[in-house]
Amino acid sequence: MTNNAKKREVKMPGGLRQKLTAAIAMLLVSAIMLVSATYAWFTLSTAPEVKGISTSVGANGSLEMALLTKTVGDIKSGVGDSSAVQDVKLANRTWGNLVDLSDEAYGFNALTLNPARLMFNEDGTALKDANMLLGTADYGSDGRVSAISSARSMISVAGSYAGEGDLYGVRAIGDNSALSPEEVAVNKAKITFNSSLETAKSGAKSVLDMYGEQLANIAVRHGTADAGTDTYTKAEVNAIRDVITALEAEAANIETVLKAEALVRATVVDGSADHTLEEQVVTNDKLTALTTAIATAKAAIPAAEKDSYTWTEIQPALSAIIDPTGVTVNGTTISDLKDNLIGEDGQINSDYALEIATNPSVETSEGILASVAEFTGNYKSIGFSLPVTAMGMSVTLKNATLAATTTANPAVLMGIAADIVNLKYEGETSSDNAVISDNYGYAVDLAFRSNTNTNLQLQTDGVQRIYNDATVVNPDTQGGGSKMTFTSTVLTEAQMKALMGAIRVVFTVPGGTEVYGVATLDLAAPAEGTEPTYSFTTTGSTVTGTANLVMSKYTVDADGKIVVAGKADNDTITTLNQGEAKGVTAIVYLDGDIVDNSMVANASNSMAGSLNLQFSSSEQLTPMNYTPLKK
């Protein structure tokens, strides 16, 4: 395990609103924390503090990962990427098995975090807002909680935290107590814009994820079929109908982004928090053209219910969505694709068939899908099969990619987003990059990919990050598993165990509201006749506690609180499709609904410890043989 962590002593200031400082580390994570613990959710006292964070991140085998700083499509790999030959901050952004976040530029050491609540929607099925992740306590003059407010997320910039929450990487979650009410109103309007933009971008991709394979198959089948011979099933026509419904929803998402832009622009003028998204009225010629095209396609869907349809019957609707004349396979138009598949001898050209069958890429630059890309930027779906027929013979392209592309640069919404970042309240007097002054949580955005379909899992026991056979003992690639270890001279064993039980690691979609899962420390009493997986010991005045981090069953109650109900049935966080990169955000915070004064001590420094997180694959992965790393 790579461990750059150093123990630090922390002086605890007095005052009404003291903070709890927390630490996070992903995959193989080493985070040193000092906790001074006298904070309670429902009373104000001196704050427990966790401070001093040094983090490393690791995966094993053919499961790769990187720090997600833009989009998964921007992550590359190549010669010279290793941190052995370049700055670790640059290496972290490329594919590998270790992300080292120990550099002070990430700003872990600057964090102070208050107990918080993860903010779910009303039915507890997803997060309430992608950029306002945690709820924090507002206090009355009597020291009691008066309300729960949301805190925004910001990115790390040279050890401080500035910028808006739609930027990924290393993020603090908090607010700036020095901001005026007008500046807060503008920031909240910007968060509404960022959230709606992410919804529009993810909505576009979901259209291709759900219906891309069927649409591409129809378009390519028509383009390669003998004239007039291609027919289409009721299921395929229903798919066309369904994709139009999804495109109607996506057009509404785009309209919401434009309304959110208007909301920001109205708020920066007067700083009023009374402006609402619903009251904004927008007019956009491109959006009008898009909604008109969708309505026209909807009206063109064959009304008659039957088992088989001709191309003439489905062409008006299908071509409006994905025009076959604008579709290419590996850069070749569909008509040329058919000609290239037929060799000079009149038979299938096997060499060309093999060429296009290797990582086939289908692009559409005409039709409604491409019109959506004019707003959101290029988007794609990966991992479907594409049958191509010529001379009565069929070649199936595996793991195909379908991309909707545009020549617009920047895309409409991306250009608006660039403007929104620079807008501020016209009477603003604070700095342009106001930093977070009150921290409540922390997030790290990561990307994963695998060379096979698999489940991404939280790895509890420490394993080698590359080679798993028992003969490999390389300490440089040995993972530490997922666990936390603390030492303290001021807490009792019971206090330490209770405080550790309030730590939450929540895995979510970067920039989205879907929750993949919740991990907690395994502190449950062992079954009869078995030994506990945790340990708490006292030597002299020093208490040491260690516990494994495990995926947990949980529900969200009517008040929005997470209720943990023991270990989950398996360690799965999310699924990974072969060759398709996927983002995962890990949010670490102290659950304010769990913490109370009985868990903490009144001391200037409290407990120091390390947090390790490691991930693995549900499939047996076989990495390339490289003898130097097996020693």
Side-chain angles (χ1 to χ4, degrees):
M1 175 182 69
T2 299
N3 189 343
N4 299 314
K6 302 174 185 176
K7 293 185 179 179
R8 300 172 176 83
E9 295 299 316
V10 178
K11 297 295 184 181
M12 172 90 50
L16 185 65
R17 294 191 61 178
Q18 297 297 341
K19 288 107 178 162
L20 172 76
T21 312
I24 175 174
M26 294 309 99
L27 291 105
L28 178 60
V29 180
S30 171
I32 294 306
M33 308 177 197
L34 297 177
V35 179
S36 172
T38 45
Y39 197 96
W41 179 267
F42 292 112
T43 62
L44 287 180
S45 180
T46 58
E49 184 172 342
V50 182
K51 202 166 188 177
I53 303 159
S54 184
T55 308
S56 299
V57 181
N60 64 308
S62 299
L63 176 65
E64 298 174 288
M65 51 125 201
L67 186 66
L68 178 58
T69 56
K70 293 182 179 179
T71 66
V72 292
D74 294 313
I75 302 172
K76 309 297 182 185
S77 61
V79 176
D81 285 344
S82 174
S83 59
V85 294
Q86 73 163 337
D87 188 290
V88 67
K89 297 188 296 299
L90 298 177
N92 287 340
R93 302 178 186 181
T94 62
W95 292 114
N97 70 48
L98 182 69
V99 172
D100 183 353
L101 300 180
S102 63
D103 194 290
E104 290 187 1
Y106 289 111
F108 281 92
N109 293 343
L111 291 177
T112 53
L113 304 167
N114 291 304
R117 176 189 293 173
L118 194 66
M119 298 297 283
F120 281 87
N121 58 13
E122 290 185 0
D123 60 9
T125 58
L127 298 181
K128 183 178 181 179
D129 191 299
N131 288 297
M132 302 178 77
L133 301 170
L134 297 178
T136 63
D138 289 338
Y139 291 95
S141 60
D142 60 359
R144 296 182 175 88
V145 175
S146 59
I148 301 295
S149 299
S150 295
R152 64 175 178 156
S153 60
M154 305 178 83
I155 63 169
S156 176
V157 180
S160 65
Y161 289 86
E164 299 303 326
D166 62 326
L167 299 174
Y168 304 151
V170 174
R171 293 183 285 158
I173 305 168
D175 57 29
N176 189 330
S177 59
L179 293 178
S180 68
E182 292 82 5
E183 291 168 331
V184 171
V186 170
N187 285 336
K188 287 187 176 181
K190 286 186 176 184
I191 288 170
T192 298
F193 174 84
N194 292 334
S195 179
S196 62
L197 177 60
E198 289 302 322
T199 298
K201 289 164 62 179
S202 62
K205 184 179 184 303
S206 70
V207 173
L208 288 190
D209 287 342
M210 290 188 291
Y211 307 108
E213 181 169 6
Q214 292 161 302
L215 293 175
N217 281 335
I218 293 172
V220 172
R221 191 193 321 161
H222 171 71
T224 58
D226 294 332
T229 63
D230 47 322
T231 60
Y232 304 89
T233 66
K234 181 191 297 184
E236 289 173 320
V237 171
N238 286 337
I240 295 173
R241 183 177 289 107
D242 290 342
V243 76
I244 289 175
T245 299
L247 287 167
E248 288 177 322
E250 177 58 11
N253 290 338
I254 293 170
E255 182 181 22
T256 299
V257 181
L258 297 176
K259 286 186 174 182
E261 176 200 7
L263 174 66
V264 175
R265 295 188 184 279
T267 307
V268 299
V269 173
D270 57 14
S272 172
D274 295 332
H275 298 293
T276 66
L277 188 67
E278 292 72 23
E279 72 185 12
Q280 306 305 315
V281 178
V282 297
T283 301
N284 183 283
D285 292 341
K286 288 183 180 293
L287 179 61
T288 299
L290 175 62
T291 55
T292 300
I294 294 172
T296 301
K298 186 174 184 178
I301 296 174
E305 287 280 343
K306 53 184 182 178
D307 294 331
S308 181
Y309 298 83
T310 65
W311 171 250
T312 301
E313 290 176 300
I314 73 164
Q315 184 273 332
L318 190 282
S319 293
I321 300 169
I322 179 171
D323 189 343
T325 61
V327 173
T328 61
V329 179
N330 287 17
T332 302
T333 64
I334 296 177
S335 58
D336 288 341
L337 174 68
K338 179 179 178 181
D339 293 337
N340 292 345
L341 276 171
I342 303 174
E344 295 180 358
D345 58 358
Q347 302 300 312
I348 290 291
N349 183 339
S350 58
D351 291 338
Y352 183 72
L354 180 61
E355 177 186 333
I356 64 172
T358 303
N359 298 321
S361 176
V362 182
E363 290 190 5
T364 175
S365 58
E366 303 288 342
I368 296 172
L369 294 178
S371 296
V372 169
E374 286 191 56
F375 284 94
T376 65
N378 298 346
Y379 57 101
K380 64 183 178 180
S381 180
I382 299 175
F384 59 87
S385 298
L386 185 65
V388 177
T389 301
M391 298 293 294
M393 300 179 65
S394 180
V395 176
T396 299
L397 310 184
K398 297 290 189 179
N399 199 32
T401 297
L402 173 61
T405 62
T406 178
T407 57
N409 186 21
V412 173
L413 300 185
M414 298 302 101
I416 293 172
D419 290 338
I420 292 293
V421 167
N422 297 317
L423 293 179
K424 61 182 181 180
Y425 170 54
E426 292 180 359
E428 182 175 331
T429 58
S430 64
S431 65
D432 290 339
N433 286 313
V435 299
I436 284 181
S437 59
D438 298 322
N439 304 113
Y440 303 104
Y442 201 81
V444 169
D445 304 297
L446 297 164
F448 300 87
R449 70 178 182 182
S450 178
N451 59 1
T452 187
N453 294 328
T454 188
N455 293 328
L456 178 68
Q457 299 179 145
L458 184 67
Q459 177 67 36
T460 297
D461 297 327
V463 296
Q464 285 281 334
R465 296 198 309 271
I466 302 175
Y467 301 106
N468 291 325
D469 59 87
T471 61
V472 177
V473 292
N474 188 344
D476 293 333
T477 59
Q478 176 62 41
S482 299
K483 64 185 64 177
M484 295 187 72
T485 299
F486 285 99
T487 60
S488 175
T489 58
V490 293
L491 296 180
T492 66
E493 292 184 15
Q495 286 176 314
M496 179 181 287
K497 182 178 180 182
L499 190 59
M500 290 171 66
I503 294 173
R504 303 285 181 260
V505 180
V506 181
F507 300 105
T508 69
V509 175
T513 58
E514 180 183 355
V515 176
Y516 289 139
V518 174
T520 62
L521 290 170
D522 185 10
L523 298 168
E528 185 176 353
T530 63
E531 294 295 323
T533 58
Y534 58 83
S535 65
F536 292 90
T537 59
T538 302
T539 303
S541 61
T542 300
V543 175
T544 301
T546 299
N548 292 333
L549 193 71
V550 295
M551 297 303 294
S552 300
K553 296 178 181 177
Y554 74 96
T555 57
V556 179
D557 69 13
D559 294 325
K561 304 174 185 177
I562 289 181
V563 180
V564 175
K567 293 174 64 174
D569 295 333
N570 56 62
D571 299 321
T572 297
I573 296 171
T574 186
T575 58
L576 297 177
N577 294 327
Q578 180 181 6
E580 181 177 353
K582 190 171 190 177
V584 175
T585 289
I587 304 166
V588 170
Y589 70 102
L590 189 80
D591 192 339
D593 292 307
I594 302 298
V595 177
D596 64 40
N597 281 340
S598 68
M599 304 177 185
V600 295
N602 184 19
S604 59
N605 51 68
S606 187
M607 78 180 180
S610 62
L611 165 66
N612 294 294
L613 293 174
Q614 188 169 13
F615 290 77
S616 61
S617 166
S618 61
E619 298 298 313
Q620 180 64 44
L621 301 176
T622 306
M624 182 189 75
N625 187 57
Y626 184 66
T627 303
L629 289 180
K630 284 190 164 187
K631 297 178 180 178

